[in-house]
């Protein structure tokens, strides 16, 4: 099967929640419109940024439905359906197809730890068969699940075996491996860049055309500007935008990372998405104020996503 290759950046949205931790679907239409207006090409929902593994299957279905319903024209909705229970993943994939999602994806489960490529292929087969008409993306993020497996070997193993395998969301540090995967079988598979801090080197070495990011939620204008500057041959501007993106990442790393600190930034730019679920430790009001001051110091609020 041949699928459209993604160009531009897909956002990994946070899951809006009420103060008591229940999911809150109300902000999603405004959220989708804001992302589209700031240059994002779609969303990858219920992933790590969306705290997907802390949600029930019914909650994940409701969130996916809300995003599909709210998506502007041409805005792709990819649903992360990974779970420690492959049968749940299969059902979530079937549901994603039923509601009209553009694609599906899954990372390796955090338990049990997958230690061989063949184990991963069998897991992918079970999930992808739930929606065989949709493109399936493997989400390679070994820092989250310990699945430090060679991705080139994965491509070789799924080739001719999982017909709807479309590519990899590659959230790892090896530009060499990324490029080898991109070149496999004359570029057969879509290699989506997954680290906002290294978009520029991946463009230069790996020829990336699409990516999925987390800091795109609030810094999408700057991240899309890296690609735009590269496309017009303005390396100086591309470097400046990439450097700024890293400055923003430096700030959120001091406030428990994108899932916690980044979600609170959404409140600072005008869209309160509520708290994170246990066991995440939410920012205190004092920490939020300190983070705001650090962001002001790098002129973030004049360059961030706008409503």
């Amino acid at each position: 099967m041949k699928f459209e290759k993604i160009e531009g950046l897909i956002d990994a949205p946070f899951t809006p929640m009420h103060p008591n931790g229940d999911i809150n679907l109300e902000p999603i239409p405004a959220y989708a419109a804001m992302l589209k207006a700031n240059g994002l090409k779609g969303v990858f929902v219920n992933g790590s940024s969306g705290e997907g593994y802390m949600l029930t299957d019914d909650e994940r279905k409701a969130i996916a439905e809300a995003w599909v319903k709210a998506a502007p024209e041409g805005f792709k909705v990819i649903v992360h359906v990974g779970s420690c229970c492959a049968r749940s993943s299969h059902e979530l994939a079937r549901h994603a197809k039923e509601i009209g999602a553009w694609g599906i994806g899954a990372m390796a489960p955090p338990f049990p730890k997958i230690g061989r490529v063949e184990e991963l292929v069998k897991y992918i087969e079970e999930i992808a068969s739930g929606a065989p008409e949709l493109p399936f993306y493997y989400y390679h993020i070994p820092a989250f699940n310990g699945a430090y497996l060679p991705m080139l070997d994965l491509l070789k193993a799924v080739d001719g075996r999982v017909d709807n395998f479309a590519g990899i969301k590659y959230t790892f540090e090896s530009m060499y491996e990324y490029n080898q995967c991109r070149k496999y079988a004359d570029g057969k598979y879509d290699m989506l860049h997954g680290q906002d801090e290294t978009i520029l080197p991946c463009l230069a070495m790996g020829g990336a055309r699409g990516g999925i990011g987390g800091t795109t939620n609030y810094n999408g204008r700057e991240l899309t500007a890296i690609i735009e500057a590269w496309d017009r041959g303005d390396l100086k501007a591309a470097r400046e935008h990439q450097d700024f993106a890293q400055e923003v990442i430096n700030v959120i790393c001091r406030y428990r990372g994108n899932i916690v600190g980044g979600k609170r930034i959404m409140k600072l730019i005008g869209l309160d998405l509520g708290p994170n679920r246990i066991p995440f430790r939410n920012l205190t009001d004092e920490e939020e104020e300190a983070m705001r001051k650090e962001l002001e110091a790098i002129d973030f609020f004049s360059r961030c996503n706008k409503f």
Side-chain angles (χ1 to χ4, degrees), residues 9-14 28 31-32 35-36 40-46 64 67-68 71-72 75-80 102-103 212-213 217:
L9 297 180
I10 302 288
D11 179 69
F14 304 110
I28 289 177
Y31 199 170
L35 293 172
K36 173 80 170 181
L40 283 306
K41 305 302 183 183
V43 285
F44 184 42
V45 304
N46 293 335
W67 276 103
V68 169
F75 197 73
K76 295 176 171 64
V77 178
I78 305 171
V79 182
H80 177 264
W102 185 87
I212 302 177
N217 280 288

Side-chain angles (χ1 to χ4, degrees), residues 68-229:
V68 169
K69 183 178 179 180
E73 184 177 355
F75 197 73
K76 295 176 171 64
V77 178
I78 305 171
V79 182
H80 177 264
V81 297
S83 169
C84 291
C85 175
R87 290 186 177 186
S88 288
S89 294
H90 182 98
E91 167 58 22
L92 290 169
R94 185 206 62 76
H95 175 263
K97 171 63 172 66
E98 181 182 81
I99 65 173
W102 185 87
I104 56 173
M107 68 176 80
F111 177 85
K113 182 178 177 181
I114 288 180
R116 298 190 305 127
V117 168
E118 178 60 21
E119 294 168 356
L120 181 55
V121 174
K122 286 185 178 297
Y123 177 72
I124 288 170
E125 280 184 313
E126 172 65 18
I127 298 171
S129 67
E133 307 88 352
L134 297 186
F136 173 91
Y137 286 88
Y138 174 61
Y139 180 7
H140 182 50
I141 184 165
F144 278 21
N145 50 36
Y148 288 92
L149 297 172
M151 288 296 98
L152 185 59
D153 288 353
L154 175 65
L155 294 183
K156 293 175 181 177
V158 298
D159 195 356
R161 183 168 166 183
V162 183
D163 288 341
N164 58 327
F165 190 96
I168 298 173
K169 177 193 174 186
Y170 191 87
T171 308
F172 191 54
E173 290 76 24
S174 176
M175 294 295 100
Y176 169 73
E177 182 183 55
Y178 175 91
N179 198 42
Q180 293 299 297
C181 291
R182 185 188 64 83
K183 292 168 61 179
Y184 173 73
D186 295 322
K188 179 176 181 178
Y189 292 108
D190 201 2
M191 292 298 298
L192 300 175
H193 181 263
Q195 288 193 311
D196 297 344
E197 58 268 42
T198 57
I199 290 176
L200 181 55
C202 208
L203 286 168
M205 180 181 177
R209 299 308 307 159
I212 302 177
T215 67
T216 46
N217 280 288
Y218 41 86
N219 204 34
R221 293 171 66 207
E222 288 295 311
L223 294 164
T224 57
I226 297 169
I227 299 173
E228 292 166 356

